[in-house]
């Protein structure tokens, strides 16, 4: 029995079609661009028609062009084929006996496909940046290093991916039923071309550079998928759930009726008497040590009023928004403020929610073990031995952003955290208080302490405040 010969089939992405226009003639319609095929030779047009239907190998397509137009037309055919590839219009599918096992799908441009060579003596392993997930009934392999994703069409390609989780030689892969050495070699070449594999020689990965070594998997994936350039997903304010899910209200319901009305400063008076902005900006600094006398509830009230009160609700057609002292994307204001209080004059220790419209604190709990753990963790994060006077916890009601924004929602939320940090730093400096941003926190612990659904609302930032 002869060995199965694997091959790579070229085809256009499904949304591309060839139409006969009454005025323009034969047109190749692609997303955002049309190609007029009328001036091309019959052989090239015939090859393009095959790519737009069943697809064929590059060898078969070139043979068709030569047979129809002569060898002189081959260079022009390859020029157009390269342009289609660069524009991300061409899929490459690995087939065995007419059965597809994997398809490389371009997700970013300019795209390049030049089949990589394999080395028999080398071992190969999946890149540490590669990951699998389910997408439209198929298993898909992607990596932030790659401008393509690989759709695994059947169990054989999934089995090969599983084997490549460890360093394997080409010959090692032939133990999988139906996988010949030729198929294993072409599959390795296929993944190398898509930058999903690392070549390993003497247990040393050839993928790593000093730059890549310093990236963690989740950070590079987050960076590449939340900004344009390395994926084909929609990005921006697409209102993707409009008409499907009701938008989250501007204001969160108060968690309790145990309320403290906070002091409201005279903003007009402060405009006249406050320290000049440049002086505040230049003197702003992190102060981790707090004074012996704790911050007062009046100071906390002024700080929250100047930093984060709700000025007004702004009705809009798609989702109501609001106006506050700091800016956010689309005025969606997803951030909520909680105060874990250890020491504050005239207020009991515990966890409180800040209601920005009425400028009130709503008590959630006393100083429970969870609240104490939040305070201690924040203190350790900024290298102070005692619990801070006040820990301000910034949570996000994620759906306020997720509802309208696509691909970039969480990155936008983190920008909001940074904006509010700076606003709080400047207000604290103007008030002669001691501010300190915290680099990280425990979102699971916060959700448990505040009684929130981790996936609906959990902490995304922490900020320590106290007296000087």
């Amino acid at each position: 029995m002869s060995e199965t010969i694997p091959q790579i089939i070229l085809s256009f992405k499904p949304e591309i079609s060839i139409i006969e226009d009454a005025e323009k003639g034969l047109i190749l319609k692609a997303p955002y661009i049309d190609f007029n095929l009328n001036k091309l030779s019959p052989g090239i047009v015939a090859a393009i028609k095959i790519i737009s239907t069943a697809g064929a190998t590059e060898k078969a397509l070139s043979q068709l062009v030569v047979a129809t137009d002569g060898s002189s037309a081959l260079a022009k055919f390859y020029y157009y084929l390269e342009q289609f590839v660069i524009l991300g219009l061409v899929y490459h599918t690995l087939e065995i006996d007419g059965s597809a096992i994997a398809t490389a799908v371009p997700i970013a441009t300019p795209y390049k496909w030049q089949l990589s060579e394999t080395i028999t003596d080398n071992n190969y392993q999946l890149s540490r940046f590669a990951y699998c997930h389910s997408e439209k009934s198929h298993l898909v392999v992607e990596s932030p290093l790659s401008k393509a994703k690989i759709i695994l069409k059947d169990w054989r390609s999934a089995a090969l991916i599983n084997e490549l989780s460890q360093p394997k030689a080409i010959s090692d892969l032939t133990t999988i039923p139906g996988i010949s050495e030729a198929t294993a070699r072409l599959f390795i070449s296929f993944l190398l071309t898509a930058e999903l594999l690392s070549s390993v020689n003497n247990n040393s990965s050839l993928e790593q550079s000093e730059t890549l070594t310093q990236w963690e998997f989740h950070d590079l994936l987050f960076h590449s998928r939340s900004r344009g350039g390395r994926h084909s997903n929609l990005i921006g304010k697409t209102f993707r759930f409009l008409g499907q899910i009701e938008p989250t209200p501007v204001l969160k319901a108060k968690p309790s009726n145990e309320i403290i009305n906070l002091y409201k400063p005279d903003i007009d008076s402060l405009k006249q008497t406050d320290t000049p902005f440049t002086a505040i900006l230049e003197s702003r600094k992190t102060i981790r040590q707090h004074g012996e006398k704790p911050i007062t509830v009046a100071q906390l009230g002024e700080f929250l009023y100047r930093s984060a009160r709700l000025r007004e609700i702004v009705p809009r057609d798609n989702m109501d928004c609001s106006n506050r002292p700091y800016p956010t994307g689309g005025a969606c204001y997803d951030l909520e403020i909680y105060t874990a209080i250890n020491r504050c004059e005239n207020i009991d220790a515990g966890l409180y929610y800040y209601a920005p419209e009425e400028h009130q604190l709503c008590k959630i709990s006393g100083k429970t073990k969870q609240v104490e753990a939040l305070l201690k963790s924040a203190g350790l994060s900024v290298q102070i031995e005692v619990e801070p006077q006040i820990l301000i916890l910034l949570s996000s009601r994620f759906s306020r952003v997720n509802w309208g924004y696509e691909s970039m929602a969480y990155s936008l939320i983190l920008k909001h955290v940074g904006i509010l940090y700076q606003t709080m730093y400047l207000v604290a400096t103007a008030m002669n208080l001691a501010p300190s941003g915290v680099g990280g926190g425990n979102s699971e612990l916060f959700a448990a302490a505040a009684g929130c659904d981790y996936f609906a609302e959990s902490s995304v930032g922490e900020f320590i405040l106290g007296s000087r």
Side-chain angles (χ1 to χ4, degrees):
M1 185 176 178
S2 61
E3 183 178 319
T4 299
I5 304 299
Q7 56 186 4
I8 294 178
I9 303 298
L10 281 65
S11 61
F12 282 129
K13 59 198 310 184
E15 53 266 46
I16 292 175
S17 60
I18 294 178
I19 63 168
E20 189 73 47
D21 187 273
E23 296 181 358
K24 299 178 181 178
L26 201 61
I27 301 294
L28 179 71
K29 290 193 71 65
Y32 314 113
I33 190 169
D34 291 347
F35 293 92
N36 192 311
L37 304 179
N38 292 309
K39 294 182 180 180
L40 299 182
S41 61
I44 295 176
V45 171
I48 290 174
K49 285 183 176 179
I50 290 175
I51 298 172
S52 70
T53 52
T57 64
E58 187 176 315
K59 181 179 179 180
L61 293 168
S62 61
Q63 287 175 342
L64 173 61
V65 172
V66 171
T68 308
D69 300 336
S71 58
S72 61
L74 207 53
K76 193 170 186 179
F77 166 69
Y78 277 117
Y79 167 78
Y80 280 101
L81 181 60
E82 184 181 15
Q83 299 310 304
F84 294 146
V85 170
I86 289 171
L87 291 170
L89 306 182
V90 178
Y91 286 5
H92 293 83
T93 299
L94 178 58
E95 286 189 355
I96 306 174
D97 289 336
S99 176
I101 70 167
T103 297
V105 176
I107 60 173
T109 56
Y111 184 65
K112 183 180 179 181
W113 183 271
Q114 185 174 353
L115 209 57
S116 299
E117 293 184 4
T118 57
I119 301 172
T120 302
D121 295 336
N122 268 13
N123 286 336
Y124 295 93
Q125 184 176 13
L126 274 178
S127 163
R128 70 183 181 91
F129 294 107
Y131 64 102
C132 295
H133 65 104
S134 175
E135 182 181 281
K136 297 179 180 178
S137 75
H138 285 296
L139 192 63
V140 175
V141 185
E142 297 190 62
S143 165
L145 301 180
S146 177
K147 290 188 175 182
K149 63 183 178 183
I150 304 296
I151 300 175
L152 306 180
K153 295 286 192 174
D154 74 359
W155 68 270
R156 288 169 293 184
S157 54
L160 286 163
I161 289 293
N162 181 65
E163 286 296 302
L164 289 166
S165 63
Q166 301 176 34
K168 290 292 173 72
I170 292 170
S171 58
D172 295 333
L173 302 177
T174 59
T175 58
I176 298 172
I179 299 299
S180 65
E181 184 170 338
T183 299
R185 185 179 296 277
L186 189 56
F187 189 75
I188 290 289
S189 182
F190 198 76
L191 294 185
L192 284 172
T193 303
E195 298 179 88
L196 293 170
L197 276 191
S198 175
S199 177
V200 181
N201 193 12
N202 297 324
N203 296 319
S204 174
S205 171
L206 302 182
E207 170 197 74
Q208 296 300 333
S209 64
E210 287 188 357
T211 300
L212 283 178
T213 297
Q214 295 174 76
W215 275 103
E216 289 190 74
F217 163 77
H218 64 280
D219 283 333
L220 187 56
L221 178 60
F222 178 48
H223 174 62
S224 67
R225 289 300 187 266
S226 60
R227 299 184 63 81
R230 281 189 171 261
H231 64 89
S232 56
N233 304 324
L234 292 175
I235 186 166
K237 199 167 190 179
T238 60
F239 295 106
R240 57 191 177 131
F241 294 112
L242 183 64
Q244 302 176 48
I245 300 173
E246 285 297 310
T248 305
V250 172
L251 295 171
K252 177 180 176 174
K254 294 178 184 178
S256 78
N257 293 321
E258 195 171 342
I259 287 169
I260 299 172
N261 292 306
L262 294 171
Y263 166 70
K264 296 180 181 179
D266 185 338
I267 296 297
D268 289 332
S269 176
L270 285 171
K271 288 178 183 178
Q272 304 300 319
T273 61
D274 223 2
T275 305
F277 174 73
T278 300
I280 293 171
L281 192 64
E282 292 301 312
S283 59
R284 181 220 57 81
K285 62 181 177 180
T286 292
I287 301 174
R288 296 185 175 92
Q289 298 300 325
H290 295 168
E292 290 185 14
K293 186 177 180 181
I295 188 173
T296 68
V297 66
Q299 287 175 315
L300 178 59
E302 179 176 338
F303 173 83
L304 291 172
Y305 191 84
R306 295 175 69 171
S307 299
R309 75 186 183 279
L310 185 138
R311 290 168 172 162
E312 63 174 332
I313 293 176
V314 183
R316 290 187 179 171
D317 291 338
N318 295 323
M319 182 178 75
D320 288 345
C321 300
S322 62
N323 180 293
R324 308 186 194 197
Y326 63 97
T328 66
C332 56
Y333 289 97
D334 59 295
L335 297 183
E336 299 288 350
I337 294 176
Y338 296 76
T339 58
I341 294 178
N342 176 39
R343 295 176 63 221
C344 179
E345 194 174 277
N346 301 323
I347 189 170
D348 294 334
L351 182 64
Y352 297 80
Y353 167 73
Y354 175 60
E357 184 175 31
E358 294 88 355
H359 189 53
Q360 298 169 332
L361 288 182
C362 306
K363 189 171 184 177
I364 296 173
S365 72
K367 192 179 177 183
T368 63
K369 289 183 178 179
Q370 292 166 330
V371 174
E372 186 174 8
L374 289 167
L375 286 161
K376 286 182 176 178
S377 176
L380 289 172
S381 293
V382 297
Q383 298 178 328
I384 57 175
E385 296 179 358
V386 297
E387 294 176 16
Q389 291 179 9
I390 292 177
L391 173 63
I392 295 174
L393 298 133
L394 308 181
S395 72
S396 173
R397 286 190 294 149
F398 301 114
S399 59
R400 284 291 296 173
V401 182
N402 294 344
W403 186 86
Y405 285 89
E406 198 161 349
S407 293
M408 59 182 289
Y410 193 71
S411 68
L412 191 59
I413 289 168
L414 297 186
K415 291 180 175 73
H416 297 165
V417 173
I419 291 166
L420 187 49
Y421 270 16
Q422 175 71 332
T423 302
M424 288 179 165
Y425 261 114
L426 296 178
V427 171
T429 302
M431 292 179 62
N432 200 33
L433 297 174
S436 176
V438 181
N442 189 324
S443 299
E444 181 73 19
L445 181 60
F446 163 81
C452 295
D453 177 346
Y454 179 92
F455 300 104
E457 179 189 351
S458 49
S459 58
V460 288
E462 290 81 19
F463 192 92
I464 288 173
L465 186 70
S467 62
R468 290 203 185 192

